Amino acid sequence: MASTSMELSSNIMALPSEVLIDIFSRLSVKHVHQLQTVSNQWLRTISSPHFRRLYNMKSMTRPRALVVEESDQTYSRPSGIGPLSRIITISTIDLAGDNKIQKEFSFKIVGREYSFCVSSNLIIFNHKVCNPTTREIIDLPNYSNYQSVSFDVGYIPYTNTYKIVRLFGTDRGANYNCNYASKILEFGFETLTLTDGGPIPSSWRSMTHREQFSVKVDATCVDGVLYCLVRKGDIKEDRIVSMEIENEEFLTISCPQEDNQKLFENGQLTDLNGKLCLAYYSKELSRMCIFLLKDPKNQTWMKEYDIHLPRMGDWVRIVGYSNGDILIQGKTPLLYNIKEKRGRKLRKSNKNYTRLYYDRCFTLDRSRLRMQRRESSPIRNFHRKVQNVR
């Protein structure tokens, strides 16, 4: 038995580099990280920019849904505004499989100050950034004293780089988060660039660009461009502000027009198969219209889909696109097949479907990352995975 194990290990180690890279790129990122400990050769292979770009590109074809659940809230007595702490549980759903919810890990948030967003595979909360893939949670540097409005994250695939964009209000006397009078306000931007392996930069970079609007409605990142849907005044004049993540150039894009204004009550930006889409949902009409931006510079829109969505509730959002299906979150989660033009209901859950999630070879700070090893041999785990790939 010992000789068989040694022979197996020897055969695996003798595989050509291109064969190893192809096999590694098909595994989950958790197993890829475990295999880094097998040998210096495998560590060099997995750490190379070529492999990491290849792995991240292939992972775009196998997305999962990221699920966030908030529980175990604790309050002071007498109860104040907001809980003193809460537990955040992160889970994923394999959309290509049986749609079961798989718990990944949990962490605790302490303090009444509460900001939480999921954007481009990262979680931003309370001056911290979390990478669900590696389970890293690292403090962010202090930013300016201007009031924060939101945090969004853009991703540049070919450099494997994230950029956090902080939107803040420049008027210290205004309440940006409760702008009920729809007053037109000025907004500024700060950025923080995260490279694979880190470390986290020590400061934010302030931008001179300013925008004026009343409310930020939604945001998403598509192909290295961050898009923000904003509203100006109380007449619901929507427009889109885009920012190239790498060169930080801004562009204003007009929204599509529709005769039936009831469809424009709830707008959302989303990435559908690498294209920016603007989706509007009307509960009264039980419809969702999805417009595709064909040409950003010429601001050419096309109505791509008109989906009938009965009994979906008041709040309906598109989570993302996966293998020909649009994942829609509402009263009952739905996978809508584009070609067949029909939906397939998923099992109900009290959890929140948030965003699509991709396994990516990316670490926030390699010097601080401590991967947990399994008790079983990485070589034996690898052999089992090779058999599955075959």
Side-chain angles (χ1 to χ4, degrees):
M1 186 71 178
S3 60
T4 302
S5 179
M6 292 179 60
E7 181 181 354
L8 172 62
S9 299
S10 177
N11 291 339
I12 292 176
M13 298 300 293
L15 288 174
S17 176
E18 59 271 17
V19 175
L20 282 174
I21 289 177
D22 181 64
I23 295 174
F24 290 168
S25 65
R26 300 167 186 255
L27 306 179
S28 71
V29 74
K30 179 172 66 175
H31 290 104
V32 169
H33 282 145
Q34 290 174 344
L35 293 173
Q36 291 182 125
T37 66
V38 172
S39 70
N40 289 331
Q41 177 191 353
W42 286 17
L43 176 61
R44 287 193 297 270
T45 299
I46 292 171
S47 301
S48 69
H50 168 68
F51 171 76
R52 296 173 87 81
R53 283 194 296 268
L54 176 66
Y55 185 93
N56 294 343
M57 181 180 67
K58 286 190 174 184
S59 72
M60 296 298 290
T61 63
R62 45 180 189 258
R64 292 181 283 166
L66 191 69
V67 182
V68 179
E69 182 184 19
E70 185 178 307
S71 62
D72 294 341
Q73 298 179 351
T74 59
Y75 292 84
S76 62
R77 297 185 182 276
S79 179
I81 300 175
L84 291 174
S85 66
R86 67 204 81 201
I87 300 296
I88 303 296
T89 300
I90 306 298
S91 305
T92 58
I93 298 177
D94 183 4
L95 300 176
D98 54 9
N99 304 136
K100 287 185 178 180
I101 297 177
Q102 176 67 43
K103 181 179 176 181
E104 302 291 341
F105 67 105
S106 300
F107 57 88
K108 188 175 185 178
I109 295 180
V110 179
R112 285 203 173 98
E113 181 186 358
Y114 183 54
S115 59
F116 190 96
C117 76
V118 181
S119 182
S120 295
N121 245 43
L122 296 182
I123 299 172
I124 311 294
F125 69 97
N126 291 25
H127 301 270
K128 299 178 186 294
V129 58
C130 171
N131 181 358
T133 303
T134 58
R135 305 184 184 183
E136 297 169 279
I137 298 178
I138 296 180
D139 291 332
L140 293 174
N142 293 329
Y143 38 75
S144 64
N145 293 327
Y146 290 103
Q147 181 181 354
S148 295
V149 176
S150 66
F151 293 87
D152 296 290
V153 182
Y155 179 67
I156 307 173
Y158 70 92
T159 60
N160 197 20
T161 301
Y162 288 98
K163 183 174 287 187
I164 304 177
V165 181
R166 174 181 174 252
L167 181 68
F168 63 88
T170 61
D171 185 352
R172 297 183 186 275
N175 191 338
Y176 280 78
N177 293 317
C178 299
N179 188 16
Y180 299 121
S182 299
K183 180 182 177 182
I184 297 177
L185 302 171
E186 185 180 76
F187 296 79
F189 302 84
E190 288 182 332
T191 63
L192 189 74
T193 301
L194 308 179
T195 57
D196 184 21
I200 301 292
S202 59
S203 62
W204 294 75
R205 195 181 72 81
S206 180
M207 302 177 64
T208 58
H209 185 82
R210 296 289 185 266
E211 288 285 344
Q212 292 188 338
F213 51 87
S214 301
V215 178
K216 176 191 167 189
V217 180
D218 196 23
T220 193
C221 181
V222 182
D223 196 24
V225 181
L226 181 64
Y227 297 92
C228 295
L229 178 63
V230 300
R231 183 159 294 163
K232 187 176 180 180
D234 58 358
I235 58 175
K236 295 187 178 182
E237 181 186 338
D238 291 356
R239 58 189 171 94
I240 297 171
V241 177
S242 71
M243 186 188 89
E244 294 274 354
I245 294 300
E246 189 168 25
N247 58 30
E248 298 182 350
E249 292 182 356
F250 283 82
L251 179 69
T252 300
I253 303 172
S254 300
C255 292
Q257 300 298 317
E258 180 80 2
D259 293 336
N260 194 338
Q261 293 299 313
K262 291 182 179 180
L263 283 174
F264 289 81
E265 297 171 358
N266 298 292
Q268 177 204 348
L269 297 176
T270 187
D271 178 356
L272 288 185
N273 200 24
K275 301 293 184 181
L276 175 70
C277 288
L278 177 57
Y280 287 103
Y281 170 73
S282 170
K283 177 185 177 183
E284 182 179 347
L285 300 176
S286 298
R287 285 175 58 198
M288 175 177 282
C289 288
I290 302 177
F291 297 84
L292 174 66
L293 182 61
K294 292 288 188 178
D295 186 348
K297 292 187 177 180
N298 294 323
Q299 304 191 15
T300 305
W301 292 89
M302 178 176 292
K303 185 189 284 188
E304 198 76 3
Y305 308 108
D306 196 334
I307 305 175
H308 180 55
L309 294 173
R311 299 180 296 278
M312 287 291 286
D314 296 319
W315 192 80
V316 175
R317 287 186 62 84
I318 293 177
V319 175
Y321 176 89
S322 173
N323 300 319
D325 292 327
I326 300 175
L327 177 57
I328 301 175
Q329 178 182 355
K331 187 176 181 180
T332 301
L334 185 75
L335 274 176
Y336 182 84
N337 187 275
I338 294 174
K339 290 185 178 181
E340 298 178 0
K341 295 184 178 181
R342 64 178 182 179
R344 174 169 61 90
K345 294 182 179 180
L346 303 178
R347 60 168 57 93
K348 291 184 179 181
S349 171
N350 58 354
K351 304 174 187 284
N352 293 320
Y353 296 83
T354 55
R355 303 273 181 170
L356 285 192
Y357 167 77
Y358 304 91
D359 273 340
R360 284 188 183 137
C361 283
F362 183 93
T363 59
L364 292 171
D365 193 338
R366 190 173 290 114
S367 65
R368 298 167 60 177
L369 182 62
R370 298 292 183 266
M371 298 304 300
Q372 296 180 350
R373 301 185 184 184
R374 288 188 175 183
E375 295 181 359
S376 55
S377 166
I379 286 287
R380 293 189 180 183
N381 286 335
F382 176 67
H383 181 254
R384 287 195 292 267
K385 292 295 177 182
V386 169
Q387 297 296 333
N388 292 334
V389 169
R390 290 176 182 172

